Amino acid sequence: MSSFQRVQQWMTLARTWHLYDAKWQNPFESALVVKQRLCGLHKPIYHPLSDCGDHVVVINCREVALPGDEWRRRVYFHHTGYPGGASWTPAWELQEKNPTMIMWKAVYNSMRGNLKRRYTMCRLHLFADEATEDILCKVTSQIRPVRPVPQRLDFYPEDFVTSFPKLMDWPKDYILHSQKEQPAAKGSESSYVSKLLFISSAVKFILIMVLKGLSPGDPNSYSRPEDAVVCNLELRMDINFENKTLSGSTVYDVKKKRQDVKSVIMDSKGITIKAVKDVNTGKLLEYSLSEPVPVFGSKLEVFLPQSDDLRHSVEVEFETSPEATGLQWLSPEQTCGRKHPIVLSHCEAIHCRSLIPCQDTPSVKAPFSAKVTAPQELTVLMGAHEDGKPTPVGDGKRMLFSYKQPVPIPVYLLAFAAGKFVKRELGPRSFVWSEEEIVESAAYEFAETEVMLQTAEEICGPYVWGVYGLLVLPPSFPYGGMENPCLTFVTPTLLAGDRSLADVVAHEVSHSWTGNLVTNCSFEHFWLNEGFTVFVERKICGRMRGEAHRHFSAIGGIKELAETIHIRGESNPLTQLVLDLRGVDPDDSFSVVPYEKGHTFLFYLETLLGGADVFDPFLRFYLDKYKFKSVSTDDFVSTLKSYFAGKKPQEDLLAKLDWAAWLNTPGMPPVIPKYDTSLADACSDLRKRWQCWDVQTECPFTIDGDLKQLSSNQVIEFLAQLVAETESPLSLEKVKKMQEKYDMNSYTNSEIKFRWLRLCIKARWEEQIEKALEFATSQGRMKFVRPIFRDLRKWDKARDRAIAAYEKQRSSMMYVTAHMVASDLGLTKE
C-alpha cells in the first residue's frame, strides 16, 4: 500500500476534527452541514448502524442569524417531566440565556429519527464566541459556511473608505446646520423630526420613516404583533354615498404577549379617529396618532387599561376620508344599469388602513363579524357568510346587513361592495353576483366553477370556507380577480362568451388555499401567494383540459415574464422572488414576476424531484402544516428540505440547488423547464408564415384556414408571439393586411383585443391609436391598461394623446390603477 493510500485509509477511519464558523449563518441550514460530518455521511464507509462520524467544533454561536422574524416568532418547548412543568421560551430569550442552545437544538432536530443522535451529539463542541486553545489544536479541517459573510464597513481601513470613488456629493443645503436639540413634543416620535427643514422631500420621507419605526417584522406596517395582537374584529359601518365616507366603529379583541406591554399599535391612513374606549368599562382610552408618512399613513397607538389581564376589548370610532385609497365610489353613470351607485373596496396590499384602523400586515390573521347599513334599494356583499337576513333600520330607508367570517384572515382580504346586485346559483356551494344586465352572461361564463372547486380539493385538500361566490364588478376594477374569501371580485373583461378566459376563476379558486389559507407573512414574500396559486391553477386546468393545456399556459406566462423583466431591467431588485420593501410602496412592486417566476420555480422543483406523484403529496403536507398561518420563504424552504430529508435522490438534489439564484437574484429564472410545445407549435407556425410572407406576392391567409383552426387561447398566443418579436417585427403593411383578412378589430375577447392593439401600436398604425385609448380607458384592468399606456408613451405621435386621455379618465380609475399608470407615463411627482 502506497503512502498516499495509507493517508486516505487513515482519514477515512479516523475521527477528524472540523471547524465551522456560525457567524451570521442560518442555524437550521448550518445544522444540515454539521450533521453530515457528525454522522459520517461524507465517508465512503458510512452505514446507518456504523459509528464513523467526526468531531465538529462550532464557534460564534452567539452571532447566528435566524431568518425573517424568527427571533420573535419561534418558540422552544421544554417540559420538566412533572405536572405543570411545561414552558415555552421565545428564541431571543433562549439565545440570551444560553447562546449555544439554538445551534444545539437545530443540529439535534436535524437528526430526527436517528436513534443514536444522543451519543452522536457528544462529538459536537459549541462555543458562544471563540474556541479554547486545547480544542483548536485538534482541528484539521474547516467547513465552508453556508452563506458568505459580508464585510462590515468598519472593518475596512479608514484611508480605503475615504479614497473610495463617490457616486455623488450631497448639496450643502442637505446638511443639517447645528441646532440645539429640542425636547421631544408629546405624541411625537422624536425631536429629530423637527430638524428636517433643510432636507429634500425624498430624504425627509426616508428619515421620517426610520424615526417613526415601522415594524421590524413587516417594513410596510407600524404594527407590533409581537407585543400585542388583534385576535378578532367586530365591525360596524354606515355607507354614505353623498359624502363618500364610511363611518362607524370597530371592536378589537387584543391579546398582549407580555405583562409589561402597555399599548397596541395599528396602522391608519386618512382616517378621523373620533373616540377610543375600553369596551368592558366604557371609559375613554388615551391614544396617539403620529404625523402621516406618504404611502404608509400614521401610527395609531392605543394605550391599554392598566391591569394584569392579557386580553382587552377596545372600541375605536372612526370616519374614513373621501379620498380613501382602499375604496372606489362609482356614480350611476359608471355602472351597467346607470341607475344606482356602487362602492367597492380593495385592500391589497396595504389599503385596509384607509378603511379601518388595523394591524395592516398579513402576518396577523383574525376572524371578523360585520354589520353594515346602506340605502334600502342596494345590496351589501362581503367576503364572509351571511349572518341572518337584511333588516330595515330607522325610517326604513336603510337596511342592515350582517356577516361573519369564522376563518382567520389578514385584513387585506377584508372586502365589501354595495350596489344593485342580483344572484345566480352555479352549484351547491357556488354562485355569482353582478348587475342584472350582465348576470346571465356571467352565469354562463363561470358555469365550471364547481368543477374547479372539486378539482382543487383533489389537489390541495378540503375547502374550509364553506361557500364560493363571484362578484362581477364594473370595468374599472384593476385586477382580473381578487381572491376575497367566500366572494371573489372579478373583472367583466373575462366575459368572452366562450369561457376561454375562465382560467382566471381557477386562479382565484386556488387562492382559497395558497394565499388565503396559507398566507405570505409580508409582501416581501408575495411569491408564496401568487407563485403557488399560478402553480395550482395550472394543475387544475391540466386535470380539466389535459396536461398539454397546463404546459401551453406556462409557455405564455414565460413570455409575459420576459417582457416584464425587459421593461423593469435585468438587474432590478424588484424582479427577485424575495424582495426588500423597506421604504417601497408594495403597489410599486406589483408585476407578473411573483406569479410567473414563482410558478417556474415550483414547476422546476416538481420536475427535479420526480414529477407530480412525488411533489403533490408535499404540496398537501405544506398546505396542511401552515393552514391558518402566515409564512416566509425560509419556512417554505426548510419545510421542503425536512420533508425530503432521508429520501433519495431528492435530498441530494435539494442540497445542490442554487437557492440564491432562484430566490435572491434579479432577472429571468436560472432554468426554464422543458414544456410540452404541442399546442404552441401551431401558433408559432402561423407566426412564421406571416413573417416570411413576401408582400409582393398574393396573400395566402384566410380566416377559415388559419384562425378558425385555433382555439381562443392559441389565437392569444399567436398574437403574443408577434408582439414579442424583435428581430423580425411585422410591418405596417402586413398588420393592415391581417386586419383585412381576419377582421381583428371585431374581436370582443379582451385578451385577443389587447394583444392586437399592441401589435398595431408596434407597427405605428395611427388610425388605431383612438381604438387603443378607448380600450385602455373603458376598463381599469392593469394587465391591459398599463402596457397600452407604456406603448403609447414610447410613440411620439401618440404620447400627448395618451396623457390627455389619462388625465380625463383618472378620476374614475381606482387608486392603484391611477397611481401605476401615472408612473408609466412619467407623471409621478416626487
Side-chain angles (χ1 to χ4, degrees):
M1 181 183 292
S2 68
S3 59
F4 177 73
Q5 288 173 322
R6 286 183 184 279
V7 172
Q8 277 188 318
Q9 183 187 56
W10 176 82
M11 291 182 66
T12 299
L13 298 175
R15 293 198 191 276
T16 306
W17 287 65
H18 305 273
L19 179 69
Y20 182 79
D21 190 348
K23 181 178 180 180
W24 296 2
Q25 302 297 315
N26 183 334
F28 312 117
E29 294 178 353
S30 300
L32 300 177
V33 178
V34 170
K35 179 186 76 170
Q36 298 280 329
R37 269 63 174 192
L38 282 178
C39 297
L41 294 171
H42 62 300
K43 294 184 176 182
I45 63 171
Y46 170 76
H47 186 274
L49 298 180
S50 65
D51 186 18
C52 60
D54 293 339
H55 291 262
V56 180
V57 179
V58 182
I59 61 174
N60 293 324
C61 292
R62 190 190 306 277
E63 299 186 64
V64 294
L66 264 63
D69 57 352
E70 286 290 285
W71 282 117
R72 65 180 176 84
R73 291 181 58 207
R74 181 171 289 272
V75 177
Y76 289 91
F77 174 76
H78 176 70
H79 203 294
T80 63
Y82 294 95
S87 63
W88 292 264
T89 307
W92 63 268
E93 186 176 330
L94 183 64
Q95 183 74 351
E96 286 185 355
K97 291 178 180 178
N98 186 345
T100 63
M101 186 54 68
I102 286 181
M103 190 69 203
W104 190 93
K105 286 180 174 292
V107 177
Y108 187 78
N109 290 331
S110 71
M111 292 188 284
R112 185 172 290 131
N114 186 339
L115 297 179
K116 298 192 302 177
R117 63 177 173 175
R118 183 174 298 178
Y119 309 102
T120 303
M121 291 293 290
C122 294
R123 294 194 296 274
L124 178 64
H125 312 276
L126 300 174
F127 294 88
D129 301 301
E130 294 297 328
T132 57
E133 286 297 327
D134 61 316
I135 293 290
L136 287 177
C137 68
K138 302 176 183 180
V139 173
T140 59
S141 173
Q142 184 168 354
I143 304 173
R144 185 192 299 272
V146 176
R147 302 184 181 187
V149 179
Q151 188 84 320
R152 278 175 31 177
L153 188 62
D154 55 2
F155 285 1
Y156 290 100
E158 186 177 352
D159 57 343
F160 176 82
V161 175
T162 55
S163 62
F164 197 84
K166 292 183 179 181
L167 292 176
M168 62 173 290
D169 281 315
W170 292 101
K172 291 182 179 179
D173 61 355
Y174 277 37
I175 300 173
L176 296 177
H177 301 291
S178 59
Q179 301 178 28
K180 291 184 178 180
E181 184 171 329
Q182 301 295 324
K186 185 178 181 180
S188 67
E189 296 301 319
S190 169
S191 62
Y192 291 106
V193 177
S194 63
K195 294 185 177 183
L196 303 176
L197 301 175
F198 304 101
I199 307 179
S200 74
S201 59
V203 177
K204 183 184 294 186
F205 167 62
I206 295 172
L207 286 177
I208 289 177
M209 258 205 337
V210 173
L211 293 173
K212 288 186 179 296
L214 269 72
S215 169
D218 186 338
N220 303 137
S221 172
Y222 291 104
S223 62
R224 297 295 181 99
E226 68 273 19
D227 295 334
V229 63
V230 173
C231 301
N232 186 67
L233 296 95
E234 297 178 19
L235 178 64
R236 273 190 169 274
M237 291 193 309
D238 182 73
I239 302 173
N240 190 322
F241 280 95
E242 292 183 4
N243 298 334
K244 295 184 178 180
T245 59
L246 305 178
S247 59
S249 65
T250 304
V251 176
Y252 306 87
D253 179 8
V254 179
K255 179 182 178 182
K256 296 193 302 185
K257 295 297 184 71
R258 303 184 309 277
Q259 287 284 0
D260 61 340
V261 173
K262 304 299 183 185
S263 62
V264 59
I265 296 175
M266 293 185 277
D267 300 285
S268 178
K269 185 178 181 182
I271 294 177
T272 300
I273 306 297
K274 295 183 176 180
V276 180
K277 63 183 180 181
D278 180 0
V279 173
N280 296 325
T281 64
K283 294 181 178 180
L284 294 178
L285 298 176
E286 292 186 8
Y287 69 93
S288 67
L289 189 66
S290 70
E291 288 296 318
V293 170
V295 177
F296 301 105
S298 304
K299 178 171 77 172
L300 173 63
E301 184 170 12
V302 176
F303 297 95
L304 299 172
Q306 295 183 1
S307 71
D308 293 333
D309 295 335
L310 292 179
R311 289 273 187 161
H312 295 276
S313 191
V314 176
E315 182 177 8
V316 178
E317 296 179 17
F318 66 91
E319 183 174 85
T320 63
S321 164
E323 287 78 39
T325 57
L327 294 172
Q328 186 180 24
W329 302 86
L330 301 177
S331 65
E333 293 73 23
Q334 293 174 296
T335 67
C336 295
R338 298 182 177 274
K339 294 180 181 178
H340 303 282
I342 288 177
V343 61
L344 61 103
S345 67
H346 181 78
C347 294
E348 193 179 37
I350 57 171
H351 298 293
C352 191
R353 64 191 66 179
S354 70
L355 272 67
I356 61 170
C358 58
Q359 292 187 317
D360 202 357
T361 170
S363 64
V364 174
K365 302 174 81 170
F368 75 89
S369 60
K371 295 184 181 297
V372 186
T373 55
Q376 58 88 20
E377 67 272 12
L378 303 182
T379 299
V380 175
L381 303 174
M382 291 199 78
H385 295 266
E386 287 183 285
D387 190 19
K389 296 295 183 182
T391 56
V393 293
D395 56 3
K397 293 184 179 180
R398 299 184 72 79
M399 299 291 286
L400 174 66
F401 295 81
S402 300
Y403 285 92
K404 191 170 187 177
Q405 178 54 268
V407 181
I409 63 166
V411 291
Y412 79 81
L413 291 176
L414 185 67
F416 81 95
K420 190 68 172 176
F421 302 126
V422 293
K423 180 181 179 182
R424 294 291 183 272
E425 301 291 340
L426 299 175
R429 54 181 169 174
S430 55
F431 48 85
V432 61
W433 290 88
S434 74
E435 294 182 81
E436 189 170 10
E437 289 74 11
I438 59 173
V439 70
E440 299 301 337
S441 299
Y444 171 80
E445 204 73 32
F446 305 131
E448 296 179 312
T449 299
E450 188 65 36
V451 179
M452 292 176 178
L453 271 171
Q454 293 170 359
T455 308
E457 285 184 300
E458 294 172 6
I459 298 169
C460 301
Y463 180 75
V464 304
W465 306 94
V467 297
Y468 185 85
L470 294 160
L471 172 59
V472 184
L473 290 165
S476 57
F477 186 63
Y479 299 99
M482 180 60 208
E483 63 274 14
N484 309 309
C486 304
L487 189 69
T488 289
F489 288 3
V490 292
T491 169
T493 61
L494 301 181
L495 304 181
D498 59 1
R499 298 177 182 166
S500 59
L501 304 182
D503 285 3
V504 170
V505 175
H507 181 90
E508 307 309 331
V509 164
S510 303
H511 264 306
S512 302
W513 289 266
T514 54
N516 296 4
L517 194 63
V518 180
T519 309
N520 50 224
C521 64
S522 76
F523 286 99
E524 294 182 311
H525 304 274
F526 190 45
W527 82 273
L528 291 175
N529 275 20
E530 298 300 349
F532 269 90
T533 300
V534 175
F535 183 70
V536 174
E537 166 206 342
R538 288 176 179 158
K539 276 185 169 290
I540 294 172
C541 295
R543 294 196 181 190
M544 291 176 62
R545 302 184 179 94
E547 189 68 7
H549 182 91
R550 178 191 179 197
H551 287 244
F552 179 63
S553 181
I555 291 170
I558 284 292
K559 288 186 175 64
E560 291 187 47
L561 176 63
E563 180 185 7
T564 299
I565 290 177
H566 173 73
I567 292 170
R568 292 208 163 197
E570 292 283 344
S571 59
N572 190 320
L574 292 182
T575 62
Q576 298 174 187
L577 279 184
V578 181
L579 304 176
D580 181 354
L581 295 182
R582 286 175 294 182
V584 178
D585 185 346
D587 287 340
D588 291 336
S589 70
F590 181 86
S591 73
V592 77
V593 171
Y595 294 76
E596 295 298 344
K597 194 171 182 179
H599 166 269
T600 304
F601 182 36
L602 294 171
F603 192 100
Y604 172 75
L605 285 174
E606 179 184 273
T607 306
L608 177 72
L609 298 176
D613 291 341
V614 174
F615 199 74
D616 281 2
F618 162 73
L619 178 63
R620 289 192 66 154
F621 172 81
Y622 166 79
L623 294 174
D624 185 64
K625 178 179 180 179
Y626 290 112
K627 61 185 177 184
F628 313 124
K629 299 177 183 177
S630 300
V631 297
S632 68
T633 300
D634 287 320
D635 292 325
F636 162 69
V637 173
S638 62
T639 302
L640 181 68
K641 289 180 177 179
S642 64
Y643 180 84
F644 287 106
K647 300 177 182 178
K648 304 293 183 180
Q650 289 85 0
E651 183 180 35
D652 296 334
L653 292 168
L654 290 174
K656 296 175 182 177
L657 190 69
D658 191 345
W659 296 96
W662 280 101
L663 300 173
N664 306 111
T665 304
M668 290 293 286
V671 180
I672 304 297
K674 293 183 179 179
Y675 295 117
D676 178 355
T677 62
S678 56
L679 293 176
D681 289 342
C683 313
S684 301
D685 292 342
L686 182 58
R687 184 256 304 166
K688 292 174 183 176
R689 286 174 55 207
W690 272 97
Q691 289 177 310
C692 296
W693 170 51
D694 183 354
V695 294
Q696 302 301 323
T697 64
E698 183 179 352
C699 182
F701 303 104
T702 63
I703 190 169
D704 291 333
D706 300 330
L707 295 196
K708 288 190 177 179
Q709 306 302 314
L710 305 177
S711 67
S712 295
N713 288 324
Q714 286 177 303
V715 175
I716 292 168
E717 172 63 16
F718 159 64
L719 292 172
Q721 291 187 16
L722 288 174
V723 171
E725 185 62 50
T726 56
E727 295 183 3
S728 180
L730 286 196
S731 64
L732 176 58
E733 187 175 358
K734 288 186 179 181
V735 173
K736 288 184 175 181
K737 183 61 71 172
M738 187 178 291
Q739 165 60 22
E740 178 186 324
K741 292 294 183 179
Y742 297 161
D743 191 19
M744 299 300 300
N745 284 336
S746 66
Y747 275 81
T748 57
N749 183 304
S750 58
E751 296 279 358
I752 293 176
K753 180 181 288 189
F754 164 63
R755 288 164 178 81
W756 164 245
L757 290 172
R758 291 197 70 193
L759 186 62
C760 293
I761 295 170
K762 186 174 182 179
R764 299 297 187 255
W765 189 355
E766 292 186 35
E767 287 80 2
Q768 296 289 81
I769 294 177
E770 199 57 42
K771 286 185 172 62
L773 287 173
E774 181 182 353
F775 176 71
T777 56
S778 63
Q779 46 78 38
R781 190 176 177 186
M782 290 195 293
K783 176 183 180 180
F784 300 150
V785 174
R786 295 189 64 192
I788 292 286
F789 274 109
R790 279 198 301 260
D791 291 348
L792 292 174
R793 183 193 178 189
K794 297 175 185 176
W795 186 3
D796 291 341
K797 291 186 178 180
R799 184 181 301 116
D800 291 342
R801 292 170 66 178
I803 293 174
Y806 164 74
E807 295 289 1
K808 181 179 179 181
Q809 195 69 18
R810 178 170 189 161
S811 61
S812 62
M813 292 180 174
M814 282 198 77
Y815 167 82
V816 65
T817 308
H819 171 73
M820 299 308 292
V821 174
S823 175
D824 294 329
L825 291 174
L827 302 177
T828 303
K829 297 179 180 178
E830 296 295 337

